């Protein structure tokens, strides 16, 4: 009887997964290989940007940090616009201009009134094709980046995840940090940056994406005018693609002066963006659940997540955050925890690993429905506004070569069963290597072999 009711619950949940009509995402490829993509949304504003298939993983040990360095320098003026002219033009439009660099993508985008989209497209093209990159600007920005690196060192979560990538992908491209080492930043010159732009900023690696009150045909015309002369795919690759290989390893940064409990991240090798099991893996993270003890004020004891319940009951953690990070050829799946003041790292890691391994054997229909609903809600909430939609379009065209419609994503999520979740949990976690990064008062963190031994159970 219970089995029938839970199956009815799943069917009932799926009945509400239909979506209202979604405006299509239009895609056009220019003769030089640059892709132009857009989705029309109601309103009077629009976001337009350029997504480039490059980031720290495409650098070398000799120029690590150059992609982020370029992101800083690109707003310092062109032959047509001085830095003052650039800032004045943006302010006069009431627009917002921004950029960011990740391990696999670099993004430049502007949000403005719809009537100013042509100006924003021209401005982005000017910045990417004719940035001055003067030696004086390079030297000035070098000091800014070095100060930024000092600030990042004070952000514990950023430090832990950088260290986690270093030990998870030892000696391979994803181990490189986005900001780069200080000694490399000190050696980067204007010529280094120009060489990087020439080899990585080709039209075939770029997507012009827009969302909001914008016509696709008009956007294609603007992009062809502004980006049509960008060089296409070279006859011979300008650089060699290197895979990133997962390694079981650990790093512990002892800092007894750090107040509170230790910060610990434990990760298995996850899945790539294009893996058919990627939605199931994201759902496993939702089943594990997140904890913020300060915000919850003890309410975590009533959580549907057994991990959150046990952590709250035993007062083991200030916070717990599962993560599922995907890349082109690999990924990371695990959890990041901040121990409570009692800093009982043995029990914390025991509960954490046991709950992760439990998913290899026990996933209920209720767990599956809850995880599916949470993932679908997260997808919808992440598309609230023209900038998030443009981000989704650009990232997916770089990652998948197309934009996955929400209806398709929802269908794939709804098709995941408890058996699928247990299969994927076994694939990713059961008796698999782990990467561990810990910072703070980590003296009593169990050794690596003990943690590795918790990735399997003696089942009789």
């Amino acid at each position: 009887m219970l089995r029938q009711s839970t199956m009815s619950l799943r069917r009932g949940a799926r009945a509400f997964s239909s979506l209202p009509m979604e405006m299509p995402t239009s895609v056009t490829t220019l003769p030089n290989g640059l892709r132009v993509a857009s989705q029309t949304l109601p309103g009077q504003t629009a976001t337009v940007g350029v997504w480039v298939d490059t980031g720290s993983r495409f650098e070398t040990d000799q120029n690590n940090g150059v992609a982020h360095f370029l992101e800083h320098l690109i707003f310092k003026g062109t032959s047509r616009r001085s830095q003052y002219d650039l800032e004045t033009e943006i302010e006069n439009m009431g627009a917002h201009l921004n950029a960011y660099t990740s391990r696999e993508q670099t993004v430049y985008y502007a949000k403005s009134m719809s009537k100013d989209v042509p100006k924003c497209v021209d401005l982005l093209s000017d910045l990417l094709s004719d940035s001055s990159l003067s030696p004086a600007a390079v030297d000035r920005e070098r000091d800014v980046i070095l100060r930024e690196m000092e600030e990042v060192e004070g952000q514990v979560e950023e430090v832990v995840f950088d260290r986690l990538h270093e030990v998870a992908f030892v000696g391979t491209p994803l181990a490189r940090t986005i900001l780069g080492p200080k000694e490399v930043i000190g050696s980067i010159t204007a010529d280094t940056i120009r060489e990087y732009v020439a080899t990585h900023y080709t039209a075939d690696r770029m997507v012009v994406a827009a969302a909001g009150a914008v016509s696709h045909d008009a956007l294609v015309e603007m992009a062809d005018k502004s980006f049509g002369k960008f060089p296409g795919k070279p006859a011979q690759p300008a650089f060699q693609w290197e895979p990133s290989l997962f390694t079981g390893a650990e790093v512990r940064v002892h800092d007894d002066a750090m107040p509170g409990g230790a910060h610990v991240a434990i990760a298995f090798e996850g899945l790539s963006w294009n893996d058919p099991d990627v939605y199931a893996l994201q759902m496993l993270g939702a089943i594990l659940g997140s904890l913020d003890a300060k915000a919850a004020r003890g309410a975590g004891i009533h959580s549907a997540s057994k991990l959150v319940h046990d952590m709250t009951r035993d007062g083991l953690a200030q916070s717990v955050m599962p993560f599922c990070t995907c890349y082109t050829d690999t990924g990371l799946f695990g959890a990041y925890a901040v121990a409570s003041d009692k800093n009982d790292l043995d029990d914390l890691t025991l509960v954490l690993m046991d709950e992760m391994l439990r998913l290899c054997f026990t996933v209920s229909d209720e767990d599956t429905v809850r995880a599916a609903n949470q993932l679908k809600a997260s997808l919808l909430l992440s598309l609230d506004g023209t900038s998030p939609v443009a981000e989704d379009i650009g990232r997916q065209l770089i990652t998948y070569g197309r934009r996955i419609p929400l209806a398709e994503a929802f269908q794939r999520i709804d098709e995941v069963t408890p058996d699928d979740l247990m299969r994927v949990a076994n694939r990713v976690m059961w008796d698999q290597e782990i990467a561990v990064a810990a910072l703070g008062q980590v003296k009593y963190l169990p050794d690596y072999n003990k943690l590795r031994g918790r990735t399997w159970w003696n089942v009789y």
Side-chain angles (χ1 to χ4, degrees):
M1 190 67 178
L2 177 62
R3 179 68 176 174
Q4 290 179 344
S5 64
T6 54
M7 290 304 291
S8 297
L9 176 64
R10 291 187 66 201
R11 285 195 294 269
R14 292 182 181 187
F16 290 98
S17 66
S18 59
L19 292 167
M21 182 65 69
E22 182 182 7
M23 293 297 292
T25 301
S26 302
V27 182
T28 301
T29 303
L30 300 183
N32 62 354
L34 183 140
R35 287 162 290 176
V36 183
S38 68
Q39 181 180 23
T40 301
L41 300 173
Q44 299 298 317
T45 63
T47 297
V48 61
V50 182
W51 275 255
V52 189
D53 186 16
T54 190
S56 60
R57 80 164 296 166
F58 296 95
E59 299 166 350
T60 66
D61 291 339
Q62 290 71 42
N63 69 2
N64 183 200
V66 67
H68 177 256
F69 208 131
L70 173 61
E71 175 208 320
H72 274 250
L73 272 179
I74 210 145
F75 299 120
K76 302 307 174 186
T78 70
S79 61
R80 291 171 50 196
R81 295 175 172 92
S82 67
Q83 183 176 355
Y84 174 80
D85 292 336
L86 172 63
E87 293 176 358
T88 301
E89 184 174 355
I90 290 294
E91 289 176 1
N92 287 343
M93 288 190 290
H96 300 280
L97 181 65
N98 210 338
Y100 66 86
T101 305
S102 69
R103 282 180 164 82
E104 289 194 325
Q105 295 179 16
T106 305
V107 180
Y108 307 88
Y109 66 96
K111 181 171 184 177
S112 70
M113 300 289 287
S114 58
K115 65 182 179 62
D116 293 320
V117 168
K119 295 179 183 178
C120 291
V121 172
D122 176 69
L123 186 149
L124 289 167
S125 170
D126 191 27
L127 292 175
L128 292 177
S129 63
D130 193 28
S131 186
S132 58
L133 303 178
S134 68
V138 171
D139 290 337
R140 285 195 303 271
E141 211 58 32
R142 192 192 323 277
D143 293 335
V144 174
I145 292 172
L146 291 173
R147 288 197 299 273
E148 181 182 346
M149 293 173 73
E150 292 176 358
E151 293 174 2
V152 169
E153 287 296 321
Q155 299 171 20
V156 180
E157 184 177 326
E158 293 282 343
V159 173
V160 170
F161 275 98
D162 275 347
R163 299 294 88 78
L164 184 66
H165 279 78
E166 288 175 2
V167 295
F169 303 107
V170 177
T172 59
L174 285 174
R176 300 187 188 109
T177 63
I178 295 170
L179 270 63
K182 290 182 180 179
E183 58 272 17
V184 176
I185 296 302
S187 68
I188 288 178
T189 65
D191 288 338
T192 308
I193 298 171
R194 288 193 185 95
E195 180 182 357
Y196 180 80
V197 171
T199 55
H200 292 75
Y201 279 62
T202 54
D204 60 299
R205 303 180 63 82
M206 301 167 72
V207 172
V208 173
V214 60
S215 158
H216 181 72
D217 290 340
L219 181 65
V220 171
E221 186 177 341
M222 295 175 222
D224 190 31
K225 177 182 177 181
S226 298
F227 291 89
K229 294 183 180 179
F230 273 60
K233 185 175 183 179
Q236 295 295 326
F239 59 93
Q240 186 174 0
W241 163 266
E242 296 180 50
S244 284
L245 306 177
F246 185 89
T247 305
E250 69 166 358
V251 58
R252 300 165 186 240
V253 182
H254 293 263
D255 185 358
D256 290 337
M258 180 180 291
H263 295 245
V264 182
I266 301 175
F268 297 87
E269 181 175 16
L271 304 176
S272 69
W273 283 113
N274 287 292
D275 193 288
D277 288 329
V278 71
Y279 286 116
L281 189 61
Q282 291 174 336
M283 288 171 64
L284 288 173
I287 292 173
L288 284 173
S290 300
L291 168 67
D292 183 342
K294 184 179 293 186
R297 297 182 181 180
I301 196 74
H302 305 296
S303 173
S305 161
K306 190 172 184 302
L307 173 63
V308 173
H309 172 275
D310 291 354
M311 288 285 187
T312 305
R313 179 196 63 201
D314 299 335
L316 294 173
Q318 298 179 46
S319 64
V320 178
M321 180 186 70
F323 55 85
C324 181
T325 305
C326 299
Y327 295 108
T328 301
D329 54 345
T330 185
L332 290 175
F333 177 80
Y336 171 75
V338 181
S340 63
D341 289 341
K342 68 180 183 180
N343 210 36
D344 189 345
L345 298 180
D346 193 15
D347 280 358
L348 184 149
T349 54
L350 175 63
V351 171
L352 181 59
M353 298 293 285
D354 275 0
E355 287 309 307
M356 294 174 78
L357 266 289
R358 185 178 64 84
L359 298 176
C360 297
F361 300 97
T362 307
V363 176
S364 68
D365 286 305
E366 290 91 341
D367 290 335
T368 306
V369 170
R370 185 174 66 254
N373 288 337
Q374 288 181 8
L375 182 54
K376 290 187 286 187
S378 177
L379 288 175
L380 284 173
L381 291 170
S382 69
L383 298 176
D384 187 14
T386 60
S387 294
V389 172
E391 154 70 25
D392 192 59
I393 295 171
R395 177 182 58 80
Q396 290 204 30
L397 258 72
I398 292 288
T399 303
Y400 303 118
R402 69 185 183 102
R403 189 182 184 204
I404 298 175
L406 276 175
E408 179 184 338
F410 276 34
Q411 180 181 355
R412 290 172 62 180
I413 293 169
D414 284 336
E415 288 173 351
V416 175
T417 66
D419 287 341
D420 290 328
L421 292 171
M422 288 184 280
R423 173 182 57 79
V424 174
N426 274 274
R427 174 187 172 189
V428 172
M429 293 184 286
W430 183 257
D431 199 15
Q432 298 296 318
E433 300 297 338
I434 57 173
V436 180
L439 174 63
Q441 300 178 33
V442 297
K443 180 178 180 180
Y444 297 108
L445 179 69
D447 66 42
Y448 180 84
N449 289 329
K450 187 173 183 179
L451 293 173
R452 175 63 174 85
R454 290 173 175 172
T455 66
W456 57 276
W457 299 339
N458 282 322
V459 181
Y460 298 98

